[in-house]
């Protein structure tokens, strides 16, 4: 049994991930900002931890993560002001990486998106620009840490039922993927050492998730 902290535990991917982890016997701490979300994460098989990661400093985050075996970052500002986006998707994410290292939690899985990179090509005038910049910075910082990191990078997300099958991709383009299958990919990489140090881009596809990941 692994102890896994899911930051952003009430998100659409996280609520699909938590039952997968709990179902295989892992202890899941769902870090949520709103106490009203506790019932849903408990129903998903996780143990709610009410904490606002935007407000916690590195030391406080380390205390929160202490005793876990892995961290999954699945939090996001969800739009709104650019300042809020940078505060959550870049700054809080980076603090969580430092906190994980300080707490002795080596395994770290970042839920990102397929187009995340320094040269993302999004115009500064576009509403998506702050998110693209924030995710690029967070992912780049993660690559420079000593953590056993994996960046899970799906294409456009859908609410379609999962198929259990994906297609690996290294660039953006036409394509989408079910949130069910994103959760399944995160659950799988946590048990697959060969995914450490990898940026895993993917769309919906025809290859079983475990087979696709084993090919990396």
């Amino acid at each position: 049994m692994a102890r896994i902290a899911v930051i952003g535990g009430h998100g659409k991917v996280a609520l699909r991930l938590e039952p997968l982890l709990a179902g295989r016997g892992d202890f899941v701490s769902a870090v949520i900002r709103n106490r009203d979300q506790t019932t849903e994460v408990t129903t998903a098989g996780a143990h709610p931890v009410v904490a606002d990661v935007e407000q916690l400093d590195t030391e406080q985050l380390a205390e929160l993560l202490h005793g876990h075996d892995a961290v999954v970052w699945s939090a996001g500002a969800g739009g709104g002001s650019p300042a809020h986006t940078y505060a959550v998707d870049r700054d809080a994410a980076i603090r969580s990486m430092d906190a994980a290292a300080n707490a002795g939690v080596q395994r770290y899985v970042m839920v990102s998106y397929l187009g995340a990179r320094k040269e993302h090509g999004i115009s500064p005038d576009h509403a998506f620009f702050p998110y693209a910049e924030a995710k690029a910075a967070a992912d780049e910082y993660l690559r420079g840490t000593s953590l056993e990191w994996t960046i899970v990078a799906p294409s456009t997300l859908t609410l379609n039922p999962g198929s259990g099958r994906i297609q690996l991709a290294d660039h953006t383009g036409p394509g989408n993927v079910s949130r069910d299958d994103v959760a399944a990919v995160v659950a799988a990489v946590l048990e697959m050492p060969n995914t450490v140090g990898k940026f895993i881009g993917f769309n919906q596809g025809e290859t079983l998730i475990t087979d696709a990941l084993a090919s990396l």
Side-chain angles (χ1 to χ4, degrees):
M1 179 186 78
R3 294 178 62 89
I4 300 170
V6 179
I7 300 176
H10 188 256
K12 291 184 175 68
V13 170
L15 286 174
R16 290 161 170 78
L17 171 64
E18 288 151 6
L20 300 179
L21 300 178
R24 70 188 188 194
D26 293 334
F27 181 95
V28 184
S29 298
V31 182
I32 55 177
R33 184 167 60 90
N34 189 341
R35 191 173 298 276
D36 294 339
Q37 299 166 346
T38 56
T39 299
E40 286 183 83
V41 299
T42 300
T43 300
H47 301 263
V49 177
V50 180
D52 186 350
V53 296
E54 183 180 356
Q55 302 300 324
L56 298 184
D57 62 22
T58 302
E59 182 178 347
Q60 291 168 323
L61 279 167
E63 291 177 6
L64 185 151
L65 298 176
H66 181 76
H68 289 86
D69 301 299
V71 176
V72 175
W73 179 274
S74 192
S81 72
H84 183 49
T85 297
Y86 287 121
V88 176
D89 293 285
R90 183 190 62 194
D91 301 341
I94 288 173
R95 284 198 303 277
S96 77
M97 299 168 201
D98 292 339
N102 292 351
V105 185
Q106 277 299 298
R107 192 69 172 105
Y108 190 106
V109 177
M110 166 65 75
V111 180
S112 189
Y113 76 102
L114 183 54
R117 52 182 56 88
K118 283 185 176 180
E119 302 300 325
H120 50 69
I122 306 298
S123 168
D125 297 329
H126 197 285
F128 193 73
F129 180 80
Y131 180 77
E133 286 283 285
K135 293 302 283 185
D139 289 358
E140 187 65 19
Y141 190 90
L142 181 58
R143 289 184 177 96
T145 70
S146 62
L147 298 170
E148 296 174 0
W149 59 265
T150 302
I151 300 172
V152 172
S155 58
T156 302
L157 301 178
T158 76
L159 293 172
N160 296 333
S163 67
R165 296 173 182 271
I166 61 172
Q167 177 180 342
L168 297 178
D170 59 5
H171 56 81
T172 56
N176 55 64
V177 64
S178 166
R179 286 177 171 86
D180 288 344
D181 288 325
V182 177
V185 168
V186 175
V189 303
L190 284 164
E191 292 192 315
M192 300 180 72
N194 71 298
T195 64
V196 171
K198 302 289 177 59
F199 178 96
I200 305 173
F202 59 98
N203 294 300
Q204 210 74 63
E206 299 299 326
T207 305
L208 288 172
I209 288 171
T210 52
D211 290 345
L213 296 176
S215 72
L216 292 167

